Amino acid sequence: MADWRALSGPEVGDLAVRLLALDWSWLLADVPAVATAFGWTVGTVSPYSVSLGTALGPNRGSVSVRSEKASNIAVKVTDYADDDADGRAQVRDAFADMASAITAALGAPTLRSPGEYAELRWAGTETTVRLRWFDASVALYLFTNEALDLEDQVAALDEQGLL
C-alpha cells in the first residue's frame, strides 16, 4: 500500500512518555482539554466513548468511558495495512521500531506478551502504557491500572471458557 502511514518510532516514544506523564481527572468532561494538550480534535461524544482526531486523521483515537469516568485512551499509530505479506511486514516492522523507541524512552517493558495480538506494557504507579500489534495495525494506549486489571481478569475468564 503506497499511502500507508505510521508514526515514526521516535514520535511514538515521545507520545508514550507524554501519556504516561499525563495527570488528569479521567472525567468525561475533561477529555477536550486532554485532546487539546495533545493536538488532537474531539469528534463524536457518547456516554461510552469519545472519538479523537489524531496525527493520522479523524477517528484514529478514542477515550473509553464508564459512568462519566474514562478508563483508557487509545491511539492508532499506524494506518491499516493490506492483508498480504508486504502489509504484515509493514506492521511487524512498525511495531518493532515503536517498541524499541518506547523502551529507549521508558525503560524495559514491565510485561511482554507475544502471540496473535502481541503487546508490551510499561506500568506506572497509576497508569500503564500499552503497545499492541494487531493483524493490520498498531495501537498505543494509556490505561488506568484499575481498568487494565479488570480487562486482564475478563481475558483470563474468557481463556478459561467461563464467559
Side-chain angles (χ1 to χ4, degrees), residues 8-10 12-13 16 77 91-109 112 119-122 131-133 138 140:
S8 71
V12 175
V77 290
V91 174
R92 180 195 65 232
D93 292 348
F95 181 84
D97 187 41
M98 292 170 183
S100 178
I102 297 171
T103 298
L106 296 178
R112 295 174 190 267
E119 73 173 86
L120 299 170
R121 296 180 185 179
W122 292 265
L131 184 68
R132 287 194 78 185
W133 171 4
V138 179
L140 184 68

Side-chain angles (χ1 to χ4, degrees), residues 47-64:
Y48 309 105
S49 68
V50 177
S51 68
L52 301 170
T54 68
L56 290 182
N59 301 316
R60 294 305 183 146
S62 64
V63 177
S64 295

Side-chain angles (χ1 to χ4, degrees), residues 30-161:
D30 294 331
V31 170
V34 170
T36 298
F38 281 85
W40 301 332
T41 58
V42 174
T44 305
V45 178
S46 82
Y48 309 105
S49 68
V50 177
S51 68
L52 301 170
T54 68
L56 290 182
N59 301 316
R60 294 305 183 146
S62 64
V63 177
S64 295
V65 179
R66 287 189 188 116
S67 302
E68 300 287 318
K69 190 120 172 140
S71 60
N72 72 74
I73 300 170
V75 180
K76 287 285 186 192
V77 290
T78 70
D79 280 338
Y80 291 98
D82 289 336
D83 186 20
D84 60 20
D86 288 341
R88 288 186 290 279
Q90 284 177 311
V91 174
R92 180 195 65 232
D93 292 348
F95 181 84
D97 187 41
M98 292 170 183
S100 178
I102 297 171
T103 298
L106 296 178
T110 53
L111 175 89
R112 295 174 190 267
S113 181
E116 182 179 3
Y117 299 114
E119 73 173 86
L120 299 170
R121 296 180 185 179
W122 292 265
T125 56
E126 299 291 323
T127 59
T128 296
V129 168
R130 179 185 200 187
L131 184 68
R132 287 194 78 185
W133 171 4
F134 296 98
D135 289 334
S137 67
V138 179
L140 184 68
Y141 300 85
L142 178 68
F143 270 84
T144 65
N145 288 342
E146 180 181 332
L148 192 54
D149 287 344
L150 181 59
E151 184 175 296
D152 288 345
Q153 290 172 24
V154 169
L157 290 172
D158 189 37
E159 287 176 11
Q160 296 171 29

Side-chain angles (χ1 to χ4, degrees), residues 19-41:
L19 285 170
L20 196 57
L22 183 61
D23 183 19
W24 69 300
S25 69
W26 289 87
L27 294 175
L28 175 62
D30 294 331
V31 170
V34 170
T36 298
F38 281 85
W40 301 332
T41 58

